[in-house]
Amino acid sequence: MKVKYSHGEGYFPFAKGDYVTVVVRYLHIKDLEEELYYHGTVTEIEEDGFWCVLDDKTKEEYFSFLDVENVIDGDRIPFFVGTTKRIKGKD
């Protein structure tokens, strides 16, 4: 499904149960301390966003498409202008 992210349009090819990385801030920051992304499992998809159980399993969080830069596979993390393979326990 095509969606409007905070800095442009993109596709959301994920379904319930998919493990994802939600990139809230990465490409459009000035300080590396402001990087922000989460890993979790999609539980519900709505027209304007989706619900995700985060890795710590303590809470489910709603992400509006307009509040995130992108959503990518959960085994990837943002890196420069693309992504790289995630090393477990390093992020």
Coordinates of all heavy atoms in Angstrom, one line a residue:
M1 N 0.8 -1.2 0.0 CA 0.0 0.0 0.0 C 0.9 1.2 0.0 O 1.9 1.3 0.7 CB -0.9 -0.1 1.2 CG -1.0 1.1 2.1 SD -2.3 0.9 3.4 CE -1.3 0.6 4.8
K2 N 0.6 2.2 -0.8 CA 1.3 3.5 -0.9 C 0.9 4.4 0.2 O -0.3 4.6 0.4 CB 1.1 4.1 -2.3 CG 2.1 5.2 -2.5 CD 2.1 5.7 -4.0 CE 3.2 6.6 -4.2 NZ 3.3 7.0 -5.6
V3 N 1.8 5.0 0.9 CA 1.5 5.9 2.1 C 2.3 7.2 2.0 O 3.3 7.2 1.3 CB 1.8 5.2 3.4 CG1 0.9 3.9 3.6 CG2 3.2 4.8 3.6
K4 N 1.9 8.1 2.8 CA 2.6 9.4 2.9 C 3.4 9.4 4.2 O 2.8 9.4 5.2 CB 1.7 10.6 2.8 CG 2.3 11.9 3.0 CD 2.6 12.6 1.8 CE 3.0 14.1 2.0 NZ 4.4 14.2 2.0
Y5 N 4.7 9.3 4.1 CA 5.6 9.4 5.3 C 5.9 10.9 5.6 O 5.5 11.8 4.8 CB 6.9 8.6 5.0 CG 6.7 7.1 5.0 CD1 7.0 6.4 3.8 CD2 6.3 6.4 6.1 CE1 6.8 5.0 3.8 CE2 6.1 5.0 6.1 CZ 6.4 4.4 4.9 OH 6.2 3.0 4.9
S6 N 6.6 11.1 6.6 CA 6.9 12.5 7.0 C 7.7 13.3 6.0 O 7.5 14.5 5.9 CB 7.7 12.5 8.4 OG 8.9 11.9 8.2
H7 N 8.5 12.7 5.2 CA 9.3 13.4 4.3 C 9.2 12.9 2.8 O 10.0 13.1 2.0 CB 10.8 13.3 4.6 CG 11.1 14.1 5.9 ND1 11.1 13.5 7.1 CD2 11.5 15.3 6.1 CE1 11.4 14.3 8.1 NE2 11.7 15.5 7.5
G8 N 8.1 12.3 2.5 CA 7.8 11.8 1.2 C 6.9 10.6 1.1 O 6.4 10.1 2.2
E9 N 6.6 10.2 -0.1 CA 5.8 9.0 -0.2 C 6.6 7.7 -0.3 O 7.7 7.8 -0.8 CB 4.9 9.2 -1.5 CG 3.8 10.2 -1.3 CD 2.9 10.3 -2.5 OE1 3.1 9.6 -3.5 OE2 1.9 11.0 -2.4
G10 N 6.0 6.6 0.0 CA 6.7 5.3 -0.1 C 5.6 4.2 0.1 O 4.4 4.5 0.1
Y11 N 6.1 3.0 0.1 CA 5.3 1.8 0.2 C 5.3 1.2 1.6 O 6.4 1.3 2.2 CB 5.6 0.8 -0.9 CG 5.2 1.3 -2.2 CD1 6.1 1.9 -3.1 CD2 3.9 1.1 -2.7 CE1 5.7 2.4 -4.3 CE2 3.5 1.5 -3.9 CZ 4.4 2.2 -4.7 OH 4.0 2.6 -6.0
F12 N 4.2 0.7 2.0 CA 4.2 -0.1 3.3 C 3.8 -1.5 2.9 O 2.6 -1.8 2.8 CB 3.2 0.6 4.2 CG 3.2 -0.1 5.6 CD1 4.1 0.3 6.5 CD2 2.2 -1.0 6.0 CE1 4.2 -0.3 7.8 CE2 2.2 -1.6 7.2 CZ 3.2 -1.3 8.1
P13 N 4.8 -2.3 2.6 CA 4.5 -3.7 2.1 C 4.3 -4.7 3.2 O 4.3 -5.9 2.9 CB 5.7 -4.0 1.3 CG 6.8 -3.3 2.0 CD 6.2 -2.0 2.6
F14 N 4.1 -4.3 4.4 CA 4.1 -5.2 5.6 C 2.6 -5.6 5.9 O 1.7 -4.9 5.6 CB 4.8 -4.6 6.8 CG 6.2 -4.2 6.4 CD1 6.5 -2.9 6.2 CD2 7.2 -5.2 6.3 CE1 7.8 -2.5 5.8 CE2 8.5 -4.8 6.0 CZ 8.8 -3.5 5.7
A15 N 2.5 -6.7 6.7 CA 1.3 -7.3 7.1 C 1.4 -7.6 8.6 O 2.5 -7.5 9.2 CB 0.9 -8.5 6.4
K16 N 0.2 -7.9 9.2 CA 0.2 -8.3 10.6 C 1.2 -9.4 10.9 O 1.3 -10.4 10.1 CB -1.2 -8.7 11.1 CG -2.2 -7.6 11.2 CD -3.5 -8.2 11.6 CE -4.6 -7.2 11.5 NZ -5.9 -7.8 11.9
G17 N 2.0 -9.3 11.9 CA 2.9 -10.4 12.3 C 4.3 -10.2 11.7 O 5.3 -10.8 12.1
D18 N 4.5 -9.2 10.8 CA 5.8 -8.9 10.2 C 6.7 -8.2 11.2 O 6.2 -7.3 12.0 CB 5.7 -8.1 9.0 CG 5.2 -8.8 7.8 OD1 5.1 -10.1 7.8 OD2 4.9 -8.2 6.8
Y19 N 8.0 -8.5 11.3 CA 8.9 -7.9 12.1 C 9.5 -6.7 11.3 O 10.1 -6.9 10.2 CB 10.0 -8.9 12.5 CG 10.9 -8.3 13.6 CD1 10.5 -8.0 14.9 CD2 12.3 -8.2 13.3 CE1 11.4 -7.5 15.8 CE2 13.2 -7.7 14.2 CZ 12.7 -7.4 15.5 OH 13.6 -6.9 16.4
V20 N 9.5 -5.5 11.9 CA 9.9 -4.3 11.2 C 10.8 -3.4 12.0 O 10.9 -3.5 13.2 CB 8.7 -3.4 10.7 CG1 7.8 -4.2 9.8 CG2 7.9 -3.0 11.9
T21 N 11.5 -2.5 11.3 CA 12.2 -1.4 11.9 C 11.5 -0.1 11.5 O 11.3 0.2 10.3 CB 13.7 -1.3 11.4 OG1 14.4 -2.5 11.7 CG2 14.4 -0.2 12.0
V22 N 11.0 0.6 12.5 CA 10.3 1.9 12.3 C 11.3 3.0 12.4 O 11.9 3.3 13.5 CB 9.2 2.0 13.3 CG1 8.4 3.3 13.0 CG2 8.2 0.8 13.3
V23 N 11.6 3.7 11.3 CA 12.6 4.8 11.3 C 11.8 6.1 11.6 O 11.1 6.6 10.7 CB 13.3 4.9 10.0 CG1 14.4 6.0 10.1 CG2 14.0 3.5 9.7
V24 N 12.0 6.6 12.8 CA 11.3 7.9 13.2 C 12.1 9.1 12.7 O 11.6 10.0 12.1 CB 11.0 7.9 14.7 CG1 10.3 9.2 15.1 CG2 10.1 6.8 15.1
R25 N 13.4 9.1 13.1 CA 14.3 10.1 12.6 C 15.6 9.5 12.3 O 16.2 8.8 13.1 CB 14.5 11.2 13.8 CG 13.4 12.1 14.0 CD 13.8 13.2 15.0 NE 14.4 12.7 16.2 CZ 13.7 12.4 17.3 NH1 12.4 12.5 17.4 NH2 14.4 12.0 18.4
Y26 N 16.1 9.8 11.1 CA 17.5 9.4 10.7 C 18.0 10.3 9.6 O 19.0 11.0 9.9 CB 17.5 7.9 10.2 CG 18.8 7.4 9.9 CD1 19.7 7.1 10.9 CD2 19.3 7.4 8.6 CE1 21.0 6.7 10.7 CE2 20.7 7.0 8.4 CZ 21.5 6.7 9.4 OH 22.8 6.3 9.2
L27 N 17.4 10.3 8.5 CA 18.0 11.1 7.4 C 17.9 12.6 7.6 O 18.7 13.4 7.0 CB 17.4 10.7 6.0 CG 17.7 9.4 5.5 CD1 16.9 9.1 4.3 CD2 19.2 9.2 5.2
H28 N 16.9 13.1 8.3 CA 16.7 14.5 8.4 C 17.0 15.0 9.8 O 16.3 15.8 10.3 CB 15.2 14.8 8.0 CG 14.9 14.4 6.6 ND1 14.4 13.1 6.3 CD2 15.0 15.0 5.5 CE1 14.2 13.0 5.0 NE2 14.6 14.1 4.5
I29 N 18.2 14.6 10.3 CA 18.6 15.1 11.6 C 19.9 15.8 11.4 O 20.6 15.7 10.4 CB 18.8 14.0 12.6 CG1 19.8 12.9 12.1 CG2 17.5 13.3 12.9 CD1 20.2 11.9 13.1
K30 N 20.3 16.7 12.4 CA 21.5 17.4 12.4 C 22.6 16.8 13.3 O 23.8 17.0 13.1 CB 21.3 18.9 12.7 CG 20.4 19.6 11.7 CD 20.2 21.0 12.0 CE 19.4 21.6 10.9 NZ 18.6 22.6 11.2
D31 N 22.1 16.1 14.3 CA 23.0 15.5 15.3 C 22.8 14.0 15.5 O 21.6 13.6 15.6 CB 22.7 16.2 16.7 CG 23.6 15.8 17.8 OD1 24.5 14.9 17.6 OD2 23.5 16.4 18.9
L32 N 23.8 13.2 15.4 CA 23.6 11.8 15.5 C 22.9 11.3 16.8 O 22.4 10.2 16.9 CB 25.0 11.1 15.4 CG 25.6 11.1 14.0 CD1 27.0 10.5 14.0 CD2 24.8 10.5 13.0
E33 N 23.0 12.1 17.8 CA 22.3 11.8 19.1 C 20.8 11.8 18.9 O 20.1 11.3 19.7 CB 22.7 12.8 20.2 CG 24.1 12.8 20.5 CD 24.6 11.6 21.2 OE1 23.8 11.1 22.1 OE2 25.7 11.1 20.9
E34 N 20.3 12.4 17.8 CA 18.9 12.4 17.6 C 18.3 11.2 16.8 O 17.1 11.2 16.5 CB 18.5 13.7 16.8 CG 18.8 15.0 17.6 CD 18.5 16.2 16.9 OE1 18.0 16.1 15.7 OE2 18.8 17.3 17.4
E35 N 19.2 10.3 16.4 CA 18.7 9.1 15.7 C 17.6 8.4 16.5 O 17.8 8.3 17.7 CB 19.9 8.1 15.5 CG 20.8 8.4 14.4 CD 21.8 7.3 14.2 OE1 21.7 6.3 14.8 OE2 22.8 7.6 13.5
L36 N 16.6 7.9 15.8 CA 15.6 7.3 16.6 C 14.9 6.2 15.7 O 14.3 6.6 14.7 CB 14.5 8.3 17.1 CG 13.4 7.7 17.9 CD1 13.9 7.0 19.2 CD2 12.4 8.8 18.3
Y37 N 15.0 5.0 16.0 CA 14.3 3.9 15.3 C 14.0 2.8 16.3 O 14.6 2.6 17.3 CB 15.0 3.4 14.1 CG 16.4 3.0 14.3 CD1 16.7 1.7 14.6 CD2 17.4 3.9 14.0 CE1 18.1 1.3 14.7 CE2 18.8 3.6 14.2 CZ 19.1 2.3 14.5 OH 20.4 1.9 14.7
Y38 N 12.9 2.1 16.0 CA 12.4 1.0 16.9 C 12.3 -0.3 16.1 O 12.1 -0.3 14.9 CB 11.0 1.3 17.4 CG 10.9 2.6 18.2 CD1 10.5 3.8 17.6 CD2 11.2 2.6 19.6 CE1 10.4 4.9 18.4 CE2 11.0 3.7 20.3 CZ 10.7 4.9 19.7 OH 10.5 6.0 20.5
H39 N 12.4 -1.4 16.8 CA 12.2 -2.7 16.2 C 11.0 -3.3 16.9 O 10.8 -3.3 18.1 CB 13.4 -3.6 16.4 CG 14.6 -3.1 15.8 ND1 14.9 -3.0 14.5 CD2 15.7 -2.5 16.4 CE1 16.1 -2.5 14.3 NE2 16.6 -2.1 15.4
G40 N 10.1 -3.9 16.1 CA 8.9 -4.6 16.7 C 8.1 -5.3 15.7 O 8.4 -5.4 14.5
T41 N 7.0 -5.9 16.1 CA 6.1 -6.7 15.3 C 4.8 -6.0 15.1 O 4.2 -5.6 16.0 CB 5.8 -8.1 16.0 OG1 7.1 -8.7 16.3 CG2 5.0 -9.0 15.1
V42 N 4.4 -5.9 13.8 CA 3.1 -5.2 13.4 C 2.0 -6.1 13.9 O 1.9 -7.3 13.7 CB 3.1 -5.1 11.9 CG1 1.7 -4.5 11.5 CG2 4.2 -4.2 11.4
T43 N 1.0 -5.4 14.7 CA -0.2 -6.1 15.2 C -1.4 -5.6 14.5 O -2.4 -6.4 14.5 CB -0.3 -5.9 16.7 OG1 -0.3 -4.5 17.0 CG2 0.9 -6.5 17.4
E44 N -1.5 -4.4 14.0 CA -2.7 -3.9 13.4 C -2.3 -2.8 12.4 O -1.4 -2.0 12.7 CB -3.6 -3.3 14.4 CG -5.0 -3.0 13.9 CD -5.8 -4.2 13.6 OE1 -5.7 -5.2 14.3 OE2 -6.5 -4.1 12.6
I45 N -2.9 -2.8 11.2 CA -2.6 -1.7 10.2 C -3.9 -0.9 10.0 O -5.0 -1.5 9.8 CB -2.2 -2.4 8.9 CG1 -0.9 -3.2 9.2 CG2 -1.9 -1.3 7.9 CD1 -0.5 -4.0 8.0
E46 N -3.8 0.4 10.1 CA -4.9 1.3 9.8 C -4.6 2.1 8.6 O -3.5 2.1 8.1 CB -5.2 2.1 11.1 CG -5.5 1.3 12.3 CD -5.7 2.1 13.5 OE1 -5.6 3.3 13.5 OE2 -6.0 1.5 14.6
E47 N -5.5 2.9 8.2 CA -5.4 3.8 7.0 C -4.2 4.8 7.2 O -3.5 5.1 6.3 CB -6.7 4.5 6.7 CG -6.6 5.3 5.4 CD -8.0 5.9 5.1 OE1 -9.0 5.2 5.2 OE2 -8.0 7.1 4.7
D48 N -4.1 5.3 8.4 CA -3.1 6.4 8.6 C -1.9 6.0 9.4 O -1.1 6.8 9.7 CB -3.8 7.6 9.4 CG -4.9 8.2 8.5 OD1 -4.7 8.2 7.3 OD2 -5.9 8.7 9.1
G49 N -1.8 4.7 9.8 CA -0.7 4.2 10.6 C -0.8 2.8 11.0 O -1.6 2.1 10.4
F50 N -0.1 2.4 12.0 CA -0.1 1.0 12.4 C 0.3 0.8 13.9 O 1.0 1.7 14.4 CB 0.8 0.1 11.5 CG 2.3 0.6 11.6 CD1 3.2 -0.1 12.4 CD2 2.7 1.7 10.8 CE1 4.5 0.3 12.4 CE2 4.1 2.1 10.9 CZ 4.9 1.4 11.7
W51 N -0.1 -0.3 14.5 CA 0.3 -0.6 15.8 C 1.4 -1.7 15.8 O 1.4 -2.5 14.9 CB -0.9 -1.2 16.6 CG -2.0 -0.2 16.9 CD1 -3.0 0.1 16.1 CD2 -2.0 0.6 18.0 NE1 -3.8 1.1 16.7 CE2 -3.2 1.4 17.9 CE3 -1.3 0.7 19.2 CZ2 -3.6 2.3 18.8 CZ3 -1.6 1.6 20.1 CH2 -2.8 2.4 20.0
C52 N 2.3 -1.6 16.7 CA 3.5 -2.4 16.8 C 3.8 -2.8 18.2 O 3.9 -1.9 19.1 CB 4.6 -1.7 16.1 SG 6.0 -2.7 15.6
V53 N 4.1 -4.1 18.5 CA 4.6 -4.5 19.8 C 6.1 -4.4 19.7 O 6.7 -5.0 18.8 CB 4.2 -5.9 20.2 CG1 4.9 -6.3 21.5 CG2 2.7 -6.0 20.4
L54 N 6.7 -3.5 20.5 CA 8.2 -3.3 20.4 C 8.9 -4.4 21.0 O 8.4 -5.3 21.7 CB 8.5 -2.0 21.2 CG 7.8 -0.7 20.6 CD1 8.2 0.5 21.4 CD2 8.0 -0.6 19.1
D55 N 10.2 -4.5 20.7 CA 11.1 -5.6 21.1 C 11.1 -5.9 22.6 O 11.1 -7.0 23.0 CB 12.5 -5.4 20.7 CG 12.8 -5.9 19.3 OD1 11.9 -6.5 18.7 OD2 14.0 -5.8 18.9
D56 N 10.9 -4.8 23.4 CA 10.9 -5.1 24.9 C 9.7 -5.7 25.4 O 9.5 -6.1 26.5 CB 11.2 -3.8 25.6 CG 10.1 -2.7 25.5 OD1 9.1 -3.0 24.9 OD2 10.4 -1.6 25.9
K57 N 8.7 -5.9 24.5 CA 7.4 -6.6 24.7 C 6.6 -6.0 25.9 O 5.6 -6.6 26.3 CB 7.6 -8.0 25.1 CG 8.5 -8.8 24.0 CD 7.7 -9.2 22.8 CE 8.5 -10.2 22.0 NZ 8.9 -9.7 20.7
T58 N 6.9 -4.8 26.4 CA 6.2 -4.2 27.5 C 5.0 -3.3 27.0 O 4.1 -3.1 27.8 CB 7.1 -3.3 28.4 OG1 7.7 -2.3 27.6 CG2 8.2 -4.2 29.0
K59 N 5.1 -2.9 25.8 CA 4.0 -2.1 25.3 C 3.8 -2.2 23.8 O 4.6 -2.5 23.1 CB 4.2 -0.6 25.7 CG 5.4 0.0 25.1 CD 5.5 1.5 25.5 CE 6.7 2.1 24.9 NZ 6.9 3.5 25.2
E60 N 2.6 -1.8 23.4 CA 2.2 -1.7 22.0 C 2.1 -0.2 21.7 O 1.6 0.5 22.5 CB 0.9 -2.4 21.8 CG 0.5 -2.5 20.3 CD -0.8 -3.3 20.1 OE1 -1.7 -3.3 21.0 OE2 -0.9 -4.0 19.1
E61 N 2.7 0.2 20.6 CA 2.7 1.6 20.3 C 2.2 1.8 18.9 O 2.3 1.0 18.0 CB 4.2 2.1 20.3 CG 4.3 3.6 20.2 CD 5.6 4.1 20.7 OE1 6.2 3.5 21.6 OE2 6.0 5.2 20.2
Y62 N 1.5 3.0 18.8 CA 0.9 3.4 17.5 C 1.9 4.3 16.8 O 2.4 5.2 17.4 CB -0.4 4.1 17.7 CG -1.1 4.6 16.4 CD1 -1.7 3.7 15.5 CD2 -1.0 5.9 16.0 CE1 -2.3 4.1 14.3 CE2 -1.5 6.4 14.8 CZ -2.2 5.4 14.0 OH -2.7 5.9 12.8
F63 N 2.1 4.1 15.5 CA 2.9 4.9 14.7 C 2.1 5.5 13.5 O 1.6 4.7 12.7 CB 4.1 4.2 14.1 CG 5.1 3.7 15.1 CD1 5.0 2.4 15.7 CD2 6.1 4.5 15.6 CE1 5.9 2.0 16.6 CE2 7.0 4.1 16.6 CZ 6.9 2.8 17.1
S64 N 2.0 6.8 13.4 CA 1.3 7.4 12.3 C 2.3 7.5 11.1 O 3.5 7.8 11.4 CB 0.9 8.8 12.7 OG 0.5 9.6 11.5
F65 N 1.9 7.2 9.9 CA 2.8 7.3 8.8 C 3.4 8.6 8.7 O 4.5 8.8 8.3 CB 2.0 6.9 7.5 CG 1.7 5.4 7.4 CD1 0.3 5.0 7.3 CD2 2.6 4.4 7.5 CE1 0.0 3.7 7.2 CE2 2.3 3.1 7.5 CZ 0.9 2.7 7.3
L66 N 2.6 9.7 9.0 CA 3.1 11.1 8.9 C 4.2 11.4 9.9 O 4.9 12.4 9.8 CB 1.9 12.0 9.0 CG 1.0 12.0 7.8 CD1 -0.2 12.9 8.0 CD2 1.7 12.4 6.5
D67 N 4.3 10.6 10.9 CA 5.3 10.8 12.0 C 6.6 10.0 11.8 O 7.5 10.2 12.6 CB 4.7 10.5 13.4 CG 3.6 11.4 13.8 OD1 3.6 12.6 13.2 OD2 2.8 11.1 14.6
V68 N 6.7 9.2 10.8 CA 7.9 8.4 10.6 C 8.5 8.6 9.2 O 7.8 9.1 8.3 CB 7.6 6.8 10.8 CG1 7.1 6.6 12.2 CG2 6.7 6.3 9.7
E69 N 9.8 8.4 9.1 CA 10.5 8.6 7.8 C 10.3 7.4 6.9 O 10.2 7.5 5.7 CB 12.0 8.9 8.1 CG 12.3 10.2 8.6 CD 13.8 10.5 8.7 OE1 14.6 9.7 8.2 OE2 14.1 11.6 9.1
N70 N 10.3 6.2 7.5 CA 10.2 5.0 6.7 C 9.9 3.8 7.6 O 10.2 3.9 8.9 CB 11.4 4.8 5.9 CG 11.2 3.9 4.7 OD1 10.2 3.4 4.5 ND2 12.3 3.8 3.9
V71 N 9.5 2.7 7.1 CA 9.4 1.4 7.7 C 10.1 0.4 6.9 O 9.9 0.3 5.7 CB 8.0 1.0 8.0 CG1 7.9 -0.3 8.7 CG2 7.2 2.1 8.7
I72 N 11.1 -0.4 7.5 CA 11.9 -1.3 6.7 C 11.9 -2.7 7.4 O 11.4 -2.8 8.5 CB 13.4 -0.8 6.5 CG1 14.0 -0.5 7.9 CG2 13.4 0.4 5.7 CD1 15.5 -0.1 7.8
D73 N 12.4 -3.7 6.8 CA 12.5 -5.0 7.4 C 13.2 -5.0 8.7 O 14.2 -4.2 8.9 CB 13.2 -6.0 6.5 CG 12.5 -6.4 5.2 OD1 11.2 -6.4 5.3 OD2 13.1 -6.7 4.2
G74 N 12.7 -5.8 9.7 CA 13.3 -5.7 11.0 C 14.7 -6.2 11.2 O 15.3 -5.9 12.2
D75 N 15.2 -6.9 10.2 CA 16.6 -7.3 10.2 C 17.6 -6.2 9.6 O 18.8 -6.5 9.4 CB 16.9 -8.6 9.6 CG 16.7 -8.6 8.1 OD1 16.0 -7.7 7.6 OD2 17.2 -9.5 7.4
R76 N 17.0 -5.1 9.3 CA 17.8 -4.0 8.7 C 17.8 -2.8 9.6 O 16.8 -2.6 10.4 CB 17.2 -3.5 7.4 CG 16.9 -4.6 6.4 CD 18.1 -5.4 5.8 NE 19.0 -4.5 5.0 CZ 20.2 -4.9 4.6 NH1 20.6 -6.1 5.0 NH2 20.9 -4.1 3.9
I77 N 18.8 -1.9 9.5 CA 18.8 -0.6 10.2 C 19.2 0.5 9.2 O 19.8 0.2 8.2 CB 19.7 -0.6 11.4 CG1 21.2 -0.9 11.0 CG2 19.2 -1.5 12.6 CD1 22.2 -0.7 12.1
P78 N 18.7 1.7 9.5 CA 19.2 2.8 8.5 C 20.7 3.0 8.6 O 21.3 2.9 9.6 CB 18.4 4.0 9.0 CG 18.0 3.7 10.4 CD 17.9 2.2 10.5
F79 N 21.3 3.3 7.4 CA 22.7 3.5 7.3 C 23.0 4.4 6.1 O 22.7 4.0 5.0 CB 23.4 2.1 7.2 CG 24.9 2.2 7.3 CD1 25.5 2.4 8.5 CD2 25.7 2.0 6.2 CE1 26.9 2.5 8.6 CE2 27.0 2.0 6.3 CZ 27.7 2.3 7.5
F80 N 23.5 5.6 6.4 CA 23.7 6.6 5.3 C 22.5 6.8 4.6 O 21.4 7.1 5.1 CB 24.9 6.2 4.5 CG 26.2 6.3 5.2 CD1 26.9 5.1 5.5 CD2 26.8 7.5 5.6 CE1 28.1 5.2 6.2 CE2 28.0 7.5 6.3 CZ 28.7 6.4 6.6
V81 N 22.5 6.6 3.3 CA 21.2 6.8 2.5 C 20.5 5.5 2.2 O 19.6 5.5 1.4 CB 21.5 7.5 1.1 CG1 22.1 8.9 1.4 CG2 22.5 6.8 0.3
G82 N 20.9 4.4 2.8 CA 20.2 3.2 2.6 C 20.0 2.4 3.9 O 19.7 3.0 4.9
T83 N 20.2 1.1 3.9 CA 20.1 0.3 5.1 C 21.3 -0.7 5.1 O 22.0 -0.9 4.1 CB 18.8 -0.5 5.1 OG1 18.9 -1.5 4.1 CG2 17.6 0.4 5.0
T84 N 21.5 -1.3 6.3 CA 22.5 -2.3 6.4 C 21.9 -3.4 7.3 O 21.0 -3.2 8.0 CB 23.8 -1.8 7.0 OG1 24.8 -2.8 7.0 CG2 23.6 -1.3 8.5
K85 N 22.5 -4.6 7.3 CA 22.1 -5.7 8.1 C 22.3 -5.4 9.5 O 23.3 -4.9 10.0 CB 22.9 -7.0 7.7 CG 22.5 -8.2 8.4 CD 21.5 -9.0 7.6 CE 21.3 -10.4 8.2 NZ 20.0 -10.7 8.3
R86 N 21.3 -5.7 10.3 CA 21.3 -5.4 11.8 C 22.1 -6.5 12.5 O 21.9 -7.7 12.2 CB 19.9 -5.4 12.3 CG 19.8 -5.2 13.7 CD 18.3 -5.3 14.1 NE 18.1 -5.2 15.5 CZ 17.1 -5.7 16.2 NH1 16.1 -6.2 15.5 NH2 17.0 -5.6 17.5
I87 N 23.0 -6.1 13.4 CA 23.8 -7.0 14.2 C 23.0 -7.1 15.5 O 23.0 -6.1 16.2 CB 25.2 -6.6 14.4 CG1 25.9 -6.5 13.0 CG2 26.0 -7.5 15.3 CD1 27.3 -5.9 13.1
K88 N 22.5 -8.2 15.9 CA 21.7 -8.3 17.1 C 22.5 -7.9 18.3 O 23.6 -8.2 18.5 CB 21.2 -9.8 17.3 CG 20.3 -10.3 16.2 CD 18.9 -9.7 16.3 CE 18.1 -10.4 15.3 NZ 16.7 -10.0 15.3
G89 N 21.8 -7.1 19.2 CA 22.4 -6.6 20.4 C 23.3 -5.4 20.2 O 23.9 -4.9 21.2
K90 N 23.5 -4.9 19.0 CA 24.3 -3.7 18.8 C 23.6 -2.4 18.7 O 24.2 -1.4 18.5 CB 25.2 -4.0 17.6 CG 26.1 -5.1 17.7 CD 27.3 -4.7 18.6 CE 28.3 -5.9 18.6 NZ 29.4 -5.7 19.4
D91 N 22.3 -2.4 18.7 CA 21.6 -1.2 18.5 C 20.6 -0.8 19.6 O 20.4 -1.5 20.5 CB 20.8 -1.2 17.1 CG 19.9 -2.3 17.0 OD1 19.8 -3.2 17.9 OD2 19.2 -2.4 15.9

